[in-house]
């Protein structure tokens, strides 16, 4: 598996088709939910899936994909989301301007990224443990800032222009949240696939030793990766808090496991087993329609969770099937 | 070579010294800290985390230390919640203690079996396989409990939550007993040695003729059993099953990983994990006694991980 990414031109084998497990799963579930319910295929429902499920998790998963592509992992993406949300809402709550709120939110998320960057690139702590430490410290910061976890709601009568713009606004018939997601996706697609930094990140993830011995700026790139990931997660946090018009402490961690799941489901898509933006987005879509579809066919909240778990498990089982002989 | 031993020895001393400094600091600052009752209390309250961290340690030993591709069992916290729910629901519907305990442990082992099957047969990355299983566990727990507290009272539970010989909590004794058994099985037996070999270098272990799959799979079964035991403990401590067990997951990971700095060769060991669990327990307890807000606890845990891991990687770099 480690070197298979080099063999780009090998002819496809029947087993390779198994790697389209996520695609088959997605299409199958889409057709199933469309047939099983009258509401799934409606424009309103699909829009709600895209806005409520896909956009926020999608943006956050971009950051996770970038870090995993560079050979690391970031457990603190939820912390970056929460910090951005906290800064954004807090500035608005004390009457600051919209621009100041946005800037504070993004800066707070970037600060999380800088902490990770220092820990991983400078102190050489493994990403899993470094970002786990950041996650724990972030939990304390959030609890201390909110008296143990009280949400911050914006009082009615507050000039809500920013919320209407980000949370519920519609431009050219498409919700603003989706525009933001589309912009972030396009940006990361270009970054990872078409820039020098992106190519170096791919090398770094595929062969860290190779990257170091060929003289690539490994430390600097690692630092940039963690800062960029935290930054994009900050955007996700701002979109999320604009949608619900409040800051809920520790809400971001709910996205952590889904983002990891989506990214790794995405890695099964290519023969090389590396993370890629398109694969991650398919993973996010898969998770989104499963949650929505199970709700629509009348499964209760409890069974939805069981169903989601089993479906992800099956997709993983099928997708990893083709690697068995590797 | 002597230099290497000297260096890691220093680090091991360092982590033990940190433990001692914290311990002595609290003993001076908080009058009620260094009392047999309080210490037993800490061990008692560390029982659940401890048992789960043992399971995690066994999986990490068998799977190797790399957290992404190596062994990890993210389903442990979910397993705890599920087993506690199984126990509480059966107990509430009038089943006997024996049946309830057996069912709780069986559900724990069943979860471990699913993990083992996914990791060994289906070759799914442990991180992902156990992540999916964690979701399934949490879901089944919700189905059983409808996200509500399920009260359970029985003679066994009150016995477990009560005091044993010398007036010390039963769970404290049980934690130490389980640790003792696992130290014998993992640290002092041929099977344990083979488990380390499998985790240390899988290909070499396979070439040497070890049954790699059986050892890796077995580690997940042990971990599942630990989850089941943790579930029974939690039912005893909380008088039934309460939602929210999933929040323990990260503490379990931290305890198992911190434990390796208490070992001579910086590898995960059962005794090291026990020390790490008690260390975290004493920290939380000491903060409570000197009236520091509990909001600081996770932050201090975070700094602790970073400090310990930072110095470890520093020493490792100088070693190589």
């Amino acid at each position: 598996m480690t070197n298979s990414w080099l063999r780009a031109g090998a002819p496809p084998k029947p087993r390779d088709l198994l790697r389209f497990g996520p695609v088959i799963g997605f299409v199958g579930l889409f057709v199933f939910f469309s047939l099983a319910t009258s509401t799934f295929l409606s424009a309103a429902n699909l829009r709600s899936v895209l806005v409520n499920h896909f956009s926020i998790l999608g943006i956050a998963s971009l950051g996770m994909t970038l870090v995993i592509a560079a050979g690391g992992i970031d457990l603190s993406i939820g912390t970056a989301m929460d910090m951005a949300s906290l800064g954004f809402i807090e500035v608005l709550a004390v009457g600051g301007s919209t621009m100041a709120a946005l800037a504070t939110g993004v800066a707070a998320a970037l600060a999380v990224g800088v902490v990770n960057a220092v820990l991983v690139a400078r102190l050489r702590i493994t990403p899993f443990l470094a970002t786990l430490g950041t996650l724990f410290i972030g939990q304390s910061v959030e609890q201390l800032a909110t008296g143990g976890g009280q949400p911050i709601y914006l009082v009615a009568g507050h000039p809500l222009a920013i919320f209407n713009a980000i949370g519920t606004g519609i431009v050219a018939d498409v919700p603003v949240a989706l525009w933001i997601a589309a912009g972030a996706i396009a940006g990361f697609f270009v970054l990872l696939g078409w820039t020098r930094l992106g190519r170096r990140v791919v090398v770094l993830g595929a062969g860290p030793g190779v990257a170091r011995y060929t003289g690539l700026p490994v430390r600097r790139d690692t630092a940039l990766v963690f800062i960029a990931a935290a930054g994009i997660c900050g955007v996700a946090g701002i979109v999320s808090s604009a949608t619900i018009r409040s800051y809920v402490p520790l809400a971001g961690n709910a996205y952590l496991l889904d983002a990891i799941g989506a990214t790794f489901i995405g890695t099964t898509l290519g023969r090389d087993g590396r993370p890629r933006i398109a694969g991650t987005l398919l993973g996010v879509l898969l998770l989104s329609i499963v949650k929505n579809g199970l709700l629509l066919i009348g499964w209760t909240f409890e069974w939805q969770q069981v169903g989601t778990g089993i479906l992800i498990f099956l997709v993983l089982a099928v997708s990893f099937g083709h690697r068995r002989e590797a | 070579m002597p230099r290497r031993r000297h260096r890691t020895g220093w680090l091991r001393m360092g982590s033990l010294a940190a433990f001692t400094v914290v311990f002595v600091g609290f003993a001076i600052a908080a009058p009620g800290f260094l009392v047999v009752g309080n210490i037993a209390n800490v061990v008692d309250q560390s029982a659940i985390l401890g048992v789960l961290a043992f399971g995690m340690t066994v999986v990490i030993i068998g799977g190797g230390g790399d957290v992404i591709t190596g062994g990890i069992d993210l389903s442990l916290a979910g397993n705890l919640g599920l087993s506690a729910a199984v126990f509480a629901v059966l107990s509430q519907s009038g089943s006997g203690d024996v049946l309830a305990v057996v069912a709780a442990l069986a559900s724990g082992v069943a979860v471990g079996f699913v993990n083992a099957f996914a990791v060994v047969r289906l070759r799914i990355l442990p991180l992902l396989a156990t992540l999916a299983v964690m979701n399934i566990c949490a879901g089944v727990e919700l189905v059983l409990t409808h996200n509500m507290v399920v009260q359970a009272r029985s003679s066994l539970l009150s016995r477990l939550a009560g005091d044993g010989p010398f007036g010390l909590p039963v769970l404290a004794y049980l934690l130490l007993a389980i640790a003792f058994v696992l130290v014998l099985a993992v640290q002092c037996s041929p099977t344990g040695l083979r488990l380390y070999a499998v985790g240390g270098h899988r290909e070499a272990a396979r070439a040497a003729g070890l049954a790699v799959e059986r050892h890796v799979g077995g580690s997940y079964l042990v971990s599942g059993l630990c989850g089941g035991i943790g579930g029974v403990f939690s039912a005893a401590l909380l008088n039934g099953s309460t939602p929210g067990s999933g929040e323990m997951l990260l503490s379990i990971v931290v305890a198992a990983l911190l434990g390796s700095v208490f070992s001579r060769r910086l590898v995960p060991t059962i005794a090291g994990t026990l020390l790490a669990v008690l260390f975290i327990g004493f920290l939380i307890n000491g903060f409570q006694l000197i009236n520091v807000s509990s909001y600081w606890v996770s932050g201090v845990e975070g700094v602790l991980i970073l400090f310990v891991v930072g110095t470890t990687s520093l020493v490792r770099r100088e070693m190589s």
Side-chain angles (χ1 to χ4, degrees), chain A residues 252-263:
Chain A
N253 285 344
Y255 294 93
L256 170 62
L257 297 174
D258 279 351
I260 295 178
T263 306

Side-chain angles (χ1 to χ4, degrees), chain B residues 47-108:
Chain B
I48 298 172
L49 179 62
V51 171
L52 297 179
F54 290 158
M56 184 70 90
T57 308
V58 172
V59 167
I60 294 178
I61 292 172
D66 187 316
V67 274
I68 310 291
T69 57
I72 195 162
D73 186 353
L74 297 184
S75 70
L76 264 167
N79 190 351
L80 160 89
L82 175 60
S83 308
V86 166
F87 186 96
V89 167
L90 278 178
S91 181
Q92 202 182 39
S93 67
S95 303
D97 278 335
V98 176
L99 178 66
V101 168
V102 169
L105 297 186
S107 91

